[in-house]
Amino acid sequence: MTFLTIPSSAVLLEIIQGSLVWIAFIISGGGIIAQSFRLLKMTRKQAMPQLSSNAQYASQTAATAKNVWRHRLSVLKISILETNPAMATVSFIFHVCLFMAPMFLLAHNILLDLAFEVSFVSFSEKMSDSMTVVIIACGFFFFLRRIFVRRVRIITTVYDYMFLFIAVSPFLTGFLAYHHIFNYHLMIVLHILSGELMLVMLPFSKFFHMIFFFISRFMIISEHSMGSPKRLWQY
Amino acid sequence: MKHKIKLEIDTAPIKSILNQNKKQIKLGLSMCAHCALCAESCFLYISNDRDPEYMPAYKFINTIGRLYKKKGKVSKEALEKMGELVFDKCVLCTRCYCPFGIDIPSLITLGRRICRSQGVFREYDK
Ligand code: SF4
Ligand code: SF4
């Protein structure tokens, strides 16, 4: 007598499309909050800063708002916007699309509506499709950069290719499914699985650099911090 | 060649420095996206024909990063090569800029401390 039965592919699909999605969202959301707190626990509040950031220094000393803004812009001038504007632009577009495309995709919003009867506004299908192409193109650019640019290649590991592949694959498979290239059902399953994988990995891998960026540049006082940070690292 | 005091690798002080600064090293290594965007911020990188060994990320990954991953178990030769990176290829001017805010100079400083603990120093008469 057997108690274990292998679930049919329909049941598996049901799990992948249903509970696994919510589990991935919960792990991802909970993970991001927990990891952010863990990071903040490595810092302390600096009541009387001995070391002021450029932005703080500007706001303390500048007489006019104009000076504050001039100073803030000078912080940008020593950033990658100045040293590597091409990469700054591609990275910015890539990361913005990475978040906006899935969030404002009509198909995702329909699913959200079916589940909770709420949804975000949706971009037109053409717009979402174009954003997906942009993400894939940026991903390809990063891939080529890792292979052909010496200074990038010298610090690249096999994991960097893996992370790039994981980041782009939900978009690649989504694109292939939407345009019915290859087997539609297979592409949808791969799309959902890769999306879930990326969500789960976000807080616990190098992907967390996206959150780390905001904590480290906006909340922690340093030469390059922006805004009005009030904390210091205390590792 | 670095100035040598005949001394074999003693992993105890290395491990102690690694343990004391574990959180910082781990954070720096895990958040570094290997994007090489810090390269241009280092004047030594620019003035040495853009030799990637002068890139800030290369210097901390291949010194303190490697020491951390190998738990301090490296050969004397490897440590001397690290000494070259942290003493000769970086002057600790603290001008490196990482868009993610990784404090590269302080990681390189840790690399220097470990080198010093093993008798590998800056050689001034090179
Ligand atoms: S240290 Fe910063 S800029 Fe340099 S490779 Fe790492 S993440 Fe990129
Ligand atoms: S501290 Fe070292 S790595 Fe950073 S910019 Fe100065 S010389 Fe280059």
Side-chain angles (χ1 to χ4, degrees):
Chain A
M1 205 162 106
T2 167
F3 294 103
L4 280 174
T5 51
I6 296 166
S8 70
S9 58
V11 176
L12 266 181
L13 195 65
E14 187 70 31
I15 295 171
I16 291 169
Q17 287 179 334
S19 35
L20 220 52
V21 177
W22 303 121
I23 292 171
F25 269 114
I26 291 166
I27 293 177
S28 191
I32 289 173
I33 294 169
Q35 293 286 64
S36 303
F37 272 108
R38 202 176 62 89
L39 265 188
L40 287 176
K41 270 179 79 179
M42 288 188 210
T43 68
R44 68 179 159 81
K45 215 170 157 92
Q46 179 71 2
M48 297 271 288
Q50 293 127 9
L51 173 73
S52 291
S53 73
N54 286 344
Q56 274 189 330
Y57 182 74
S59 56
Q60 281 159 14
T61 58
T64 63
K66 194 174 150 215
N67 280 353
V68 174
W69 276 104
R70 193 183 297 150
H71 206 98
R72 280 190 182 154
L73 291 176
S74 76
V75 172
L76 290 183
K77 229 178 133 46
I78 52 165
S79 75
I80 51 165
L81 284 173
E82 179 74 10
T83 54
N84 205 329
M87 255 306 275
T89 314
V90 175
S91 303
F92 181 75
I93 294 173
F94 176 74
H95 287 93
V96 167
C97 289
L98 206 69
F99 276 96
M100 303 244 293
M103 199 180 276
F104 299 115
L105 182 83
L106 183 65
H108 289 173
N109 279 323
I110 292 173
L111 290 174
L112 205 62
D113 198 42
L114 285 174
F116 296 117
E117 295 185 1
V118 286
S119 63
F120 296 119
V121 283
S122 301
F123 289 146
S124 71
E125 295 210 324
K126 196 166 166 9
M127 168 98 170
S128 299
D129 198 35
S130 313
M131 284 172 101
T132 309
V133 172
V134 167
I135 292 169
I136 297 168
C138 291
F140 192 58
F141 169 80
F142 292 143
F143 178 68
L144 293 180
R145 198 173 166 266
R146 287 219 175 276
I147 295 176
F148 292 110
V149 181
R150 231 173 113 217
R151 64 179 186 279
V152 190
R153 187 173 60 229
I154 200 169
I155 52 169
T156 294
T157 66
V158 63
Y159 292 108
D160 295 314
Y161 289 110
M162 194 187 84
F163 282 118
L164 185 57
F165 182 72
I166 293 172
V168 174
S169 45
F171 299 91
L172 189 63
T173 48
F175 179 83
L176 295 175
Y178 178 69
H179 291 279
H180 288 261
I181 304 170
F182 304 130
N183 183 319
Y184 173 77
H185 292 288
L186 178 65
M187 284 305 137
I188 281 290
V189 170
L190 290 177
H191 172 69
I192 301 169
L193 281 177
S194 55
E196 287 165 350
L197 179 66
M198 193 182 163
L199 276 175
V200 169
M201 283 180 74
L202 211 161
F204 308 107
S205 67
K206 269 196 197 302
F207 288 142
F208 196 67
H209 69 250
M210 291 182 254
I211 313 288
F212 178 75
F213 168 81
F214 291 102
I215 294 180
S216 135
R217 295 295 297 278
F218 289 90
M219 295 181 73
I220 299 183
I221 301 166
S222 88
E223 298 92 314
H224 299 288
S225 52
M226 297 182 276
S228 315
K230 294 195 173 50
R231 307 188 78 84
L232 283 177
W233 284 118
Q234 191 188 37
Y235 300 110
Chain B
M1 286 298 280
K2 306 251 49 84
H3 176 63
K4 277 186 227 163
I5 292 173
K6 278 290 168 214
L7 193 85
E8 282 318 307
I9 294 289
D10 174 8
T11 48
I14 302 185
K15 279 191 178 160
S16 135
I17 297 172
L18 290 174
N19 280 336
Q20 277 166 24
N21 302 280
K22 192 176 165 189
K23 281 185 185 168
Q24 181 185 9
I25 303 169
K26 226 174 131 184
L27 189 67
L29 290 176
S30 63
M31 287 301 109
C32 175
H34 296 170
C35 63
L37 289 173
C38 48
E40 283 93 349
S41 66
C42 178
F43 77 100
L44 283 177
Y45 168 80
I46 301 288
S47 57
N48 279 286
D49 293 330
R50 295 176 182 259
D51 175 352
E53 288 203 5
Y54 283 87
M55 177 171 61
Y58 181 87
K59 290 181 265 194
F60 87 77
I61 291 169
N62 287 287
T63 54
I64 193 72
R66 181 162 297 173
L67 284 161
Y68 179 79
K69 283 189 182 149
K70 295 198 175 274
K71 299 193 170 71
K73 290 193 196 107
V74 293
S75 67
K76 184 83 181 178
E77 289 70 36
L79 204 78
E80 279 168 0
K81 177 88 183 78
M82 290 177 193
E84 246 170 63
L85 287 177
V86 292
F87 290 116
D88 301 338
K89 295 191 170 167
C90 171
V91 296
L92 273 191
C93 67
T94 72
R95 292 295 196 274
C96 16
Y97 163 72
C98 163
F100 301 105
I102 295 172
D103 188 353
I104 304 169
S106 66
L107 291 168
I108 295 180
T109 308
L110 291 176
R112 284 190 174 195
R113 272 179 61 196
I114 289 182
C115 283
R116 284 205 187 96
S117 79
Q118 304 301 309
V120 175
F121 298 101
R122 173 89 173 93
E123 198 186 349
Y124 287 99
D125 55 355
K126 248 175 70 171

